[in-house]
Amino acid sequence: MAAQVTNRARARAGLTPLRADPRLARVAARHACDMAQRGRMTHLGSTTTGPAMRLKQAGYQPTVSAENIAAGPFSLPRVLSEWTASPGHHANIMLPQVRDFGVGEATSQDGRTTYWAAVYAAPR
């Protein structure tokens, strides 16, 4: 579903489709888990400064990277809709240089909040 929504938006803008990359999905899922464990929505990780650093640690050498995050009682369709409607998040989805993406989610310990992360990147 994430690939369809993301690539539909990119197609409307005349951009190439993104490929779902399992490494990026793992990076996104780990960051979502990190945010859920800390109960805090942030691009800064517990031990990382942002998505580029997390990608490099996972063995993906990006030329460009971007990240969308969200937190709340939201489903994937809702999060994708919100990101598409938000100018800043939409800009990340529309970066013409990116080729790969991955989405991850994690639920807080109290079970009330879902943390989402999407990573967009292009390899060297």
Side-chain angles (χ1 to χ4, degrees):
M1 166 185 254
Q4 293 171 335
V5 171
T6 300
N7 286 328
R8 198 171 328 142
R10 287 178 64 84
R12 283 192 298 270
L15 297 172
T16 58
L18 299 182
R19 301 175 299 220
D21 185 298
R23 288 174 297 175
L24 272 63
R26 284 191 298 274
V27 167
R30 284 186 197 124
H31 186 57
C33 286
D34 183 44
M35 290 189 296
Q37 288 173 347
R38 294 185 293 151
R40 184 170 173 226
M41 187 177 76
T42 176
H43 291 285
L44 296 174
S46 294
T47 61
T48 58
T49 58
M53 185 177 191
R54 291 188 282 277
L55 287 167
K56 289 174 187 172
Q57 288 176 347
Y60 185 103
Q61 298 301 315
T63 57
V64 62
S65 65
E67 180 178 72
N68 287 344
I69 58 175
F74 309 128
S75 64
L76 179 58
R78 168 80 185 271
V79 167
L80 293 171
S81 175
E82 296 290 334
W83 285 340
T84 303
S86 162
H89 294 99
H90 190 255
N92 285 342
I93 294 167
M94 295 299 162
L95 284 170
Q97 306 93 326
V98 299
R99 296 290 173 255
D100 303 319
F101 83 105
V103 177
E105 70 174 293
T107 303
S108 63
Q109 292 181 354
D110 67 8
R112 294 182 185 168
T113 305
T114 302
Y115 288 83
W116 294 92
V119 179
Y120 309 90
R124 290 195 190 277

